[in-house]
Amino acid sequence: MLRTPLYSLIASAVLLAAGPARADLGEDWLAGKVATGNPAITYAGAPIEFKYSHPSPPASILVPPTQANLKRIAAASNGKLVFKEYGSGSLFGARDGFKGVRTGVGEWGVCYPTYEGRGMSLSRVWEQPFVTPSNPMVATRIAQELAAKYFVPEFKKQGVAWGNHVAFQPADILSKKPIRKLEDLQGLKVGAQGMSPDVAKALGVALVNLPYPELYTALQQGVIDAVFWVDAGFVPFKLHEVAKFHTSLGLTGGGAWTCYNPEAVAKLPPDLQQLYLRGLEPFAMVNTKISGVDFSVKARDAYKAAGVEMITLAPAELQRFKDRLQPVVDAWANDLEKDKVPAKALLKDIQALSAKYQALSPNDLMKLSIENPVVVQP
């Protein structure tokens, strides 16, 4: 569906200058300064080495936290559990995550349900309009809580175990004319890879499927009028230089998942296995915070400097968008229910947990993932 994984592109975003770095709970956890929940390591055998594969290039903003987490595991295990990193798809590519982990080429890696076609419909629920909470860290927590009930079975069918879910910031609109109401979108040519044709039809826009590096020129030359994407895409690709109106919408989400080889992890000594499994949720949470929360805060300076008008829809107008797109979600769920796939129950559970967690701050959610992670068993 995506020519280049959105995770890789978001992860390649260059962080904006924001003054001296300020430590936070996520950074402290990555640095090994927060040892909450770490088991006492009693295993005294030879070090065990696993391979971790991801598609992000070296310039990625998420490579440093990935490397920090692998160092954290090694240090917390007294050097007994060591992960060797294979980035830039050097071990297996983004489309081969499930196969690579299933066959043992790597024991842990980034896996995209998007590329698996049928059979992973529930894992793609975040692509439905207005399902992902505005704070993507909430979505990361919800995914972990609901994994055993809805997502683990789909991962098992692929021969792997569920790892975690790094949720994306829900998509907003960057446009060459202001979008203040639903009618303002009518007839616009929109760059939005991965958007459902049903969503586009309901919004009255024409989809133009372009590689991400071509979006700047397409906006500049009038090939497209707007882009549905996220701040960590808009700013690094400099789209805000040619499109001067940013409308907060929170339309569709998505994300990146990791999966691991269940046989390999099951063979780990109990203390090393516990250390690894307890760290999966906070690792996802800190990555979501970096790409979906922190970057959006820093991006405000870039928009201001470029003279971009930041538009927030009136509550009644935002509700009009939601009302227009709810039939799309209902049709998606009804179609799955015909095959006895519990899409409606999943949507209901997401809604309930969104209400439960939405008021929590990023720090609260980070703390929750460290002190009370949902450990999904292999």
Side-chain angles (χ1 to χ4, degrees):
M1 181 170 64
L2 301 179
R3 298 187 186 184
T4 305
L6 180 57
Y7 174 81
S8 297
L9 293 167
I10 287 179
S12 299
V14 179
L15 281 174
L16 305 174
R22 181 173 60 85
D24 62 15
L25 183 57
E27 292 174 359
D28 287 345
W29 179 80
L30 285 173
K33 298 177 182 179
V34 181
T36 303
N38 286 355
I41 303 301
T42 59
Y43 170 70
I48 299 170
E49 183 175 287
F50 280 177
K51 296 179 288 295
Y52 177 70
S53 176
H54 63 81
S56 300
S60 160
I61 62 171
L62 295 185
V63 165
T66 293
Q67 294 173 341
N69 185 49
L70 301 187
K71 290 179 181 178
R72 180 196 65 83
I73 294 172
S77 67
N78 299 325
K80 297 301 184 180
L81 180 57
V82 179
F83 282 89
K84 186 175 181 180
E85 177 198 10
Y86 290 84
S88 301
S90 57
L91 190 61
F92 45 80
R95 292 180 177 273
D96 298 317
F98 287 101
K99 180 180 179 181
V101 171
R102 178 175 61 247
T103 59
V105 174
E107 287 80 10
W108 186 23
V110 174
C111 309
Y112 289 100
T114 297
Y115 295 133
E116 296 305 312
R118 294 184 61 83
M120 301 203 76
S121 300
L122 295 180
S123 296
R124 297 178 62 180
V125 65
W126 311 107
E127 298 173 16
Q128 295 302 309
F130 297 114
V131 169
T132 301
S134 58
N135 180 351
M137 293 176 72
V138 173
T140 291
R141 175 66 181 194
I142 291 173
Q144 200 71 12
E145 286 200 18
L146 298 181
K149 185 176 180 181
Y150 298 107
F151 310 131
V152 165
E154 294 187 341
F155 276 61
K156 282 187 175 180
K157 288 180 180 178
Q158 300 297 329
V160 301
W162 162 277
N164 53 26
H165 172 64
V166 179
F168 296 155
Q169 171 198 6
D172 293 326
I173 309 170
L174 195 66
S175 54
K176 297 178 73 173
K177 76 167 194 176
I179 306 299
R180 305 185 194 279
K181 59 183 183 296
L182 188 58
E183 289 76 14
D184 292 336
L185 279 174
Q186 303 306 299
L188 294 189
K189 294 168 291 186
V190 174
Q193 289 192 29
M195 176 180 285
S196 163
D198 294 332
V199 172
K201 182 179 179 180
L203 292 177
V205 302
L207 290 181
V208 181
N209 194 344
L210 293 170
Y212 293 109
E214 296 180 16
L215 291 173
Y216 183 98
T217 302
L219 278 169
Q220 192 176 49
Q221 297 179 350
V223 175
I224 57 177
D225 307 300
V227 176
F228 283 78
W229 208 6
V230 295
D231 294 327
F234 292 146
V235 174
F237 281 80
K238 301 184 178 181
L239 304 186
H240 61 305
E241 293 181 355
V242 289
K244 298 299 184 180
F245 300 93
H246 180 292
T247 301
S248 296
L249 188 60
L251 183 62
T252 54
W257 296 253
T258 71
C259 63
Y260 63 86
N261 186 290
E263 294 181 1
V265 171
K267 291 177 182 177
L268 287 175
D271 48 355
L272 299 185
Q273 184 180 130
Q274 181 183 351
L275 175 68
Y276 170 70
L277 294 176
R278 277 192 64 96
L280 288 171
E281 185 185 346
F283 177 49
M285 195 68 79
V286 73
N287 278 301
T288 299
K289 182 175 183 292
I290 289 170
S291 63
V293 177
D294 293 350
F295 193 94
S296 292
V297 173
K298 295 177 174 67
R300 302 295 163 173
D301 291 336
Y303 293 135
K304 183 178 181 180
V308 174
E309 181 181 347
M310 305 299 290
I311 300 170
T312 300
L313 296 175
E317 189 59 38
L318 180 59
Q319 189 60 49
R320 290 185 67 215
F321 275 82
K322 293 180 178 180
D323 292 342
R324 176 68 63 89
L325 291 170
Q326 186 59 46
V328 175
V329 181
D330 293 340
W332 172 82
N334 289 334
D335 186 55
L336 290 178
E337 291 285 344
K338 292 176 184 177
D339 295 326
K340 300 188 184 305
V341 178
K344 292 182 179 180
L346 171 58
L347 291 170
K348 185 177 180 180
D349 285 345
I350 290 174
Q351 186 177 37
L353 289 174
S354 295
K356 176 181 178 181
Y357 290 124
Q358 191 61 39
L360 296 185
S361 69
N363 190 70
D364 289 337
L365 288 162
M366 191 72 237
K367 183 178 180 181
L368 182 66
S369 73
I370 294 171
E371 297 183 353
N372 189 28
V374 178
V375 180
V376 181
Q377 295 300 323

